[in-house]
Amino acid sequence: MNSEARAIVSDYFNGSLKQQSAYHYIEKTMNEAVIAVTGSYSFGMQNETSDLDIEFIIPDSLHNTIVEMAGGIQHVWVHDEIHHPLIDIKVRPLTWLQNRLSGDNPEVLWIYQHACCIQDHNSELPQLIEDANTQFQSINKELLTKHYKDFRTGVTLSASREPLGEIITMTRAIDAALALPFLSRNEPYPYPKWKSSWLKAKHKQGELIVSLCGRWLAGEPVYEQLRDVLNSIMIEAGHRDLIKHFWRKV
């Protein structure tokens, strides 16, 4: 997390947070909570409209006690629109995070891999991330195959299909095209609203992929270029047989 975001979190905890009605309850979680910053501030991709998202992860028993004391979960959370950037604080039970980090959702895994951990006395978050990554690696080939099918389906659709169905399928194909470079390298891919930005910044062919995807979605005949770029990525990652299988009818 960048120094600007660190300063915002520190200042908020020592200042404005204490003025929030939820602080009375949040304070009771401070010693036991895993505190993590997620979202664009954590990833270094924030802009003028970005919120700063802070998660307090606490044991289930403590969470139940705090929520009961507060009279409802809404009284434990903070949504501070007066502060700039807007601050969102969510207090969650540990099982919530465990369920999210099951390993079958690469986007969630990516978020927590790039989160900034403010406090974690028992190193719970790294272990959850490690377990989720192990599970992700075990199903990555399946995910890679699914996304490649989505991509191929989108680009081989007949133009005579219903317009809405074509848009939905094509959008799914675009999303698959943005995920494939990550999956081909056995990496989880970013949450959708950051996917194109992260890909452009981190992948050597990312800017071209994002540009071609956008043009393709707008109806330009750039499919062959996009296929060639994705094929080169897949071949480089050692998936030549997978490519041959899926393009056999093209």
Side-chain angles (χ1 to χ4, degrees), residues 154-157 165-175 216-217:
V155 299
T156 56
L157 274 178
E166 184 177 358
I167 290 171
I168 291 172
T169 306
M170 188 62 72
T171 301
R172 188 168 62 186
I174 292 289
D175 201 52
W216 181 29
L217 192 58

Side-chain angles (χ1 to χ4, degrees), residues 14 33 37 45 51-52 57-58 62 83 102 110 113 117-118 128 154 168 184 186 193 218 221 229 247:
N14 292 312
V37 178
M45 295 159 59
D51 303 341
L52 201 152
I57 309 298
I58 59 177
L62 178 59
H83 190 274
S102 60
W110 187 91
Q113 282 181 335
C117 194
I118 302 295
L128 287 173
I168 291 172
S184 71
N186 298 313
K193 71 178 182 179
V229 172
W247 297 121

Side-chain angles (χ1 to χ4, degrees), residues 18-183:
K18 296 178 180 179
Q19 309 305 316
Q20 297 292 316
S21 59
Y23 179 71
H24 173 71
Y25 306 107
I26 291 176
E27 183 183 25
K28 298 180 185 302
T29 75
M30 286 288 189
N31 292 332
E32 295 191 52
V34 174
I35 305 175
V37 178
T38 61
S40 56
Y41 268 94
S42 178
F43 312 148
M45 295 159 59
Q46 72 275 12
N47 56 42
E48 63 278 0
T49 64
S50 296
D51 303 341
L52 201 152
D53 303 299
I54 306 171
E55 294 179 3
F56 279 64
I57 309 298
I58 59 177
D60 287 36
S61 57
L62 178 59
H63 185 267
N64 294 338
T65 299
I66 294 294
V67 171
E68 184 176 352
M69 288 174 55
I73 190 63
Q74 70 273 19
H75 301 303
V76 181
W77 290 355
V78 172
H79 183 74
D80 191 348
E81 295 182 333
I82 296 176
H83 190 274
H84 181 76
L86 185 153
I87 300 286
D88 264 318
I89 297 178
K90 298 290 191 296
V91 180
R92 309 277 197 181
L94 179 59
T95 51
W96 174 84
L97 182 57
Q98 290 171 332
N99 290 335
R100 289 201 81 196
L101 278 171
S102 60
D104 59 357
N105 190 329
E107 295 165 357
V108 171
L109 175 57
W110 187 91
I111 287 172
Y112 287 98
Q113 282 181 335
H114 293 83
C116 176
C117 194
I118 302 295
Q119 175 177 288
D120 185 2
H121 296 310
N122 298 317
S123 299
E124 293 176 276
L125 186 57
Q127 186 60 57
L128 287 173
I129 291 172
E130 182 179 343
D131 293 344
N133 188 59
T134 299
Q135 175 63 19
F136 163 70
Q137 295 299 328
S138 73
I139 64 171
N140 182 60
K141 190 66 175 285
E142 179 183 336
L143 291 171
L144 184 67
T145 302
K146 175 187 178 300
H147 278 74
Y148 218 59
K149 285 181 177 178
D150 284 347
F151 177 71
R152 187 175 185 275
T153 298
V155 299
T156 56
L157 274 178
S158 167
S160 65
R161 294 178 65 90
E162 297 89 342
L164 180 59
E166 184 177 358
I167 290 171
I168 291 172
T169 306
M170 188 62 72
T171 301
R172 188 168 62 186
I174 292 289
D175 201 52
L178 291 174
L180 282 167
F182 295 93
L183 292 173

